[in-house]
Amino acid sequence: MPRTPGPATPATSATPVTSATSAASAASATAAPGWEDLVTSALLGTERRTPPGCAPGRDAPAALLDAAAVETVRRRAGLRPARSAERLAPAPDDHRPALPQAAARRLAMLLTDRPGSGSGGRRGTTPDLMELLPQWLAAANDRGFAAPPPSLPALLDAARGRTDLRPAALTFAGPRALWLARLNPDWRFALRAAPGGDASLPRPEDTERVRELWQEGLFAERVALLASLRARDPAEARELLAGTWATERAEDRLMFLDSLRTGLAAADEPFLEEALADRSRNVRSTAAELLSALPGSALAGRMAARALTCVWVEGIRTSAAITVEAPHECDAAMERDGVIPKPPTGRGERSWWFGQLLEATPLGAWSGRLGGRTPEESVALPVTDDWQSELHAAWCRAAVRQRDAAWARALLGTPTAPEAGGPGAVSLAERAKLLGILGAGERAEWVAGFIATHGLSEAFQLLGVCAIPWAAPLGRAVVDALNIARDAGNYPWSFSGVMGLAERCLDPGEAGRLDGLLAIPDESEDAAPGAGGYWAEAFQRLVSTLRLRAAMAEELGPAVPVTPRPAAARSPVPTPRSTSSSPPA
């Protein structure tokens, strides 16, 4: 009797067993629906498509499941066992000290509290545990603890979903995370993001492997190789790039050139000067930007010579003013030095060229041009013909690019100035960048003065560059401003961003000062309905979070003294696109 064909087997299965089947089994197999028919019926529904061999009606769904169960057994029974896989090498040891038990339990709680896990939209008084995870990881890394092995999968999943977590999470996870990442494609990001995590990257001394990977590797591998070399041996990385520069695609040249920001030095100038003649405008602009960050470069000198002819002082010392005469054309030499000739929509050509010249000019060149004046005196000078905002905005960009603290202070001005923008900054984004140049203490003091004078409506971006935890004067200024907003009867939703920052950045020792704000205040006639209850809830959540942070620190034990880090490095704060007005061309 001929053998009845068995069920279709998956692509990964072995050959079906060749033993003969009984007549009854053959008849049953012939009548049984195929796996594809069952799947189709399940997708369409038994009311629209009843599977073969099943009677239509109310019992069809149950019959479909029974048939699927039988077919599953048949498919599995028709497979031969495969040869066992080669045993995996054991995970490497992590010799760092283990977490205290209380801290390990806390980590499990933080990793479990994921977005969408039923927390109810983050209302109420419950702390947002996931937002505290970056701070917890930083504290654990400062103390040198190793991650508990059972927490590694959840930790890698969290880092996969949030790129801002990856550096701290992978440092804490240690070598075992890399071992796991090689087994799960979803975690392969760890091999690229972790320091030394990509085992395929050769060390700088392995010249042959470096050259081979650079010549034959994929683009992502070449980018990673160049970045790794640049961090260890800037000159070797630059020479490697120079060797194939002429044959690279324009978009690749741009990515490779960006890696030279790490360890940028005067030795890079000859290569960057050659890149100024590149066919790609974006490559030329990036090369010019890098050269302008080197005040002693030839390009910086050429840009200074052009810019200084556009700005001069007229009048006697007591009534002097700055006069601006913007360039009338953008010649080929200016284009070669990175000046983009076509302005954005709505921007005048001359003001566009003028701004590019000034931001690439070394700030040290202005003292001689402006009569020996200091940065504060230069910024205080009036500017004729409505060019002040353009002049000061260009100086702001130059101060940020050259990391010049003296000019940053001058352009920021005093935080108590009547105009929130200060004498030079034209946007919140510019002020935040200028503050990033100053030390942590000076930064906090300036922002505290700004909040005391202007309130919280424009302070969100400025708070994002302050070190964590906030210094005591800054913390008090934020709490006082929130209290004023509550007394004014405003809804707390307008201040939710600042409240969220306070939960993560306020010193936990300030929790005791907030107890008086937990009660629902009496609402005035002009207050928004129900605002007092929402404010009480928000302050309760703030106090709960601060006390939780204090408990987290106690569970981890004494901290190792470290330099405070900017808040933006731990939890980036989104900044709206800045806008500025342009003077008439």
Side-chain angles (χ1 to χ4, degrees):
M1 181 174 62
R3 185 171 63 87
T4 302
T9 57
T12 57
S13 64
T15 305
V17 178
T18 58
S19 60
T21 59
S22 64
S25 299
S28 175
T30 303
W35 183 255
E36 292 77 8
D37 292 332
L38 295 173
V39 172
T40 302
S41 297
L43 292 174
L44 296 177
T46 55
E47 291 184 356
R48 297 179 59 189
R49 177 165 179 171
T50 303
C54 299
R58 296 177 57 185
D59 296 332
L64 171 63
L65 295 177
D66 290 340
V70 172
E71 181 66 13
T72 299
V73 173
R74 293 180 68 247
R75 287 162 63 89
R76 291 177 177 173
L79 300 180
R80 289 179 176 174
R83 184 179 296 276
S84 61
E86 185 178 349
R87 184 183 296 272
L88 291 174
D93 293 330
D94 194 335
H95 300 289
R96 295 175 297 176
L99 270 178
Q101 290 187 358
R105 290 192 295 268
R106 181 71 65 190
L107 173 63
M109 292 176 58
L110 295 175
L111 291 172
T112 302
D113 190 70
R114 303 292 297 279
S117 59
S119 53
R122 297 302 176 194
R123 298 312 316 161
T125 61
T126 305
D128 187 347
L129 300 184
M130 196 60 184
E131 286 302 316
L132 296 180
L133 182 57
Q135 195 169 120
W136 189 97
L137 289 171
N141 287 332
D142 290 342
R143 291 158 175 79
F145 287 124
S151 70
L152 291 177
L155 192 61
L156 287 169
D157 282 340
R160 179 191 177 201
R162 284 182 56 176
T163 55
D164 62 302
L165 283 178
R166 291 182 182 178
L170 295 177
T171 298
F172 178 62
R176 290 176 177 173
L178 303 181
W179 182 84
L180 286 173
R182 295 187 180 97
L183 304 177
N184 186 343
D186 290 342
W187 299 333
R188 288 298 175 91
F189 70 88
L191 301 179
R192 301 184 298 270
D198 195 337
S200 65
L201 291 181
R203 300 187 65 82
E205 55 269 19
D206 192 349
T207 308
E208 184 175 348
R209 283 196 62 204
V210 167
R211 295 288 177 182
E212 180 181 358
L213 182 60
W214 181 249
Q215 295 288 345
E216 303 175 5
L218 300 174
F219 174 68
E221 293 174 327
R222 300 178 73 209
V223 170
L225 173 64
L226 191 63
S228 176
L229 283 177
R230 186 66 180 179
R232 299 178 182 181
D233 189 341
E236 176 66 21
R238 184 182 63 252
E239 292 176 6
L240 187 70
L241 178 59
T244 61
W245 179 259
T247 62
E248 305 288 354
R249 299 183 306 169
E251 56 268 30
D252 295 351
R253 293 198 303 274
L254 183 62
M255 289 290 294
F256 293 146
L257 192 63
D258 200 61
S259 68
L260 298 187
R261 297 181 189 276
T262 301
L264 182 66
D268 299 318
E269 183 179 357
F271 176 77
L272 294 173
E273 276 285 341
E274 292 183 8
L276 291 176
D278 196 87
R279 301 183 302 275
S280 167
R281 187 186 70 180
N282 291 333
V283 172
R284 294 196 303 270
S285 297
T286 301
E289 180 187 348
L290 293 173
L291 283 169
S292 65
L294 299 171
S297 67
L299 178 135
R302 295 193 297 270
M303 299 298 264
R306 298 179 181 114
L308 295 181
T309 62
C310 299
V311 178
W312 65 91
V313 177
E314 290 184 344
I316 59 176
R317 187 80 184 181
T318 56
S319 60
I322 293 178
T323 298
V324 172
E325 180 68 25
H328 290 272
E329 64 174 346
C330 179
D331 56 32
M334 289 170 61
E335 284 194 56
R336 182 185 181 277
D337 283 346
V339 176
I340 300 173
K342 185 175 178 58
T345 303
R347 185 81 177 271
E349 284 185 335
R350 296 179 62 197
S351 66
W352 172 244
W353 302 331
F354 175 74
Q356 293 180 78
L357 293 181
L358 264 68
E359 68 183 74
T361 297
L363 290 166
W366 290 109
S367 177
R369 182 60 173 173
L370 301 179
R373 288 176 171 84
T374 65
E376 288 79 6
E377 293 170 337
S378 300
V379 170
L381 284 173
V383 183
T384 60
D385 298 330
D386 296 328
W387 281 96
Q388 177 169 320
S389 61
E390 181 64 34
L391 175 66
H392 288 179
W395 279 344
C396 284
R397 296 192 295 271
V400 172
R401 184 180 296 185
Q402 299 170 34
R403 311 295 297 175
D404 193 308
W407 274 90
R409 294 187 190 96
L411 291 162
L412 281 167
T414 60
T416 57
E419 292 185 5
V426 295
S427 69
L428 285 169
E430 293 280 359
R431 275 172 276 169
K433 292 175 182 178
L434 290 171
L435 283 169
I437 302 173
L438 307 181
E442 187 177 1
R443 219 180 308 159
E445 183 179 357
W446 197 96
V447 177
F450 179 91
I451 292 173
T453 304
H454 305 288
L456 290 171
S457 60
E458 295 187 343
F460 183 70
Q461 285 182 277
L462 307 182
L463 288 169
V465 299
C466 293
I468 301 173
W470 287 338
L474 177 58
R476 286 193 293 270
V478 171
V479 172
D480 290 344
L482 289 171
N483 192 20
I484 292 172
R486 183 191 68 157
D487 292 342
N490 298 319
Y491 273 123
W493 304 326
S494 302
F495 303 92
S496 59
V498 174
M499 189 68 77
L501 277 178
E503 292 174 9
R504 300 189 296 274
C505 305
L506 197 63
D507 191 330
E510 296 288 316
R513 295 184 59 245
L514 302 176
D515 288 338
L517 304 177
L518 302 183
I520 299 178
D522 296 332
E523 295 184 1
S524 60
E525 294 182 358
D526 57 346
Y534 285 113
W535 274 109
E537 180 183 280
F539 279 119
Q540 289 170 13
R541 184 170 58 251
L542 174 58
V543 171
S544 298
T545 304
L546 294 178
R547 288 175 176 158
L548 176 59
R549 287 174 53 206
M552 286 166 40
E554 185 177 353
E555 291 163 357
L556 287 167
V560 178
V562 294
T563 303
R565 283 173 285 186
R570 299 188 181 186
S571 180
V573 176
T575 56
R577 187 175 300 173
S578 61
T579 57
S580 60
S581 59
S582 302

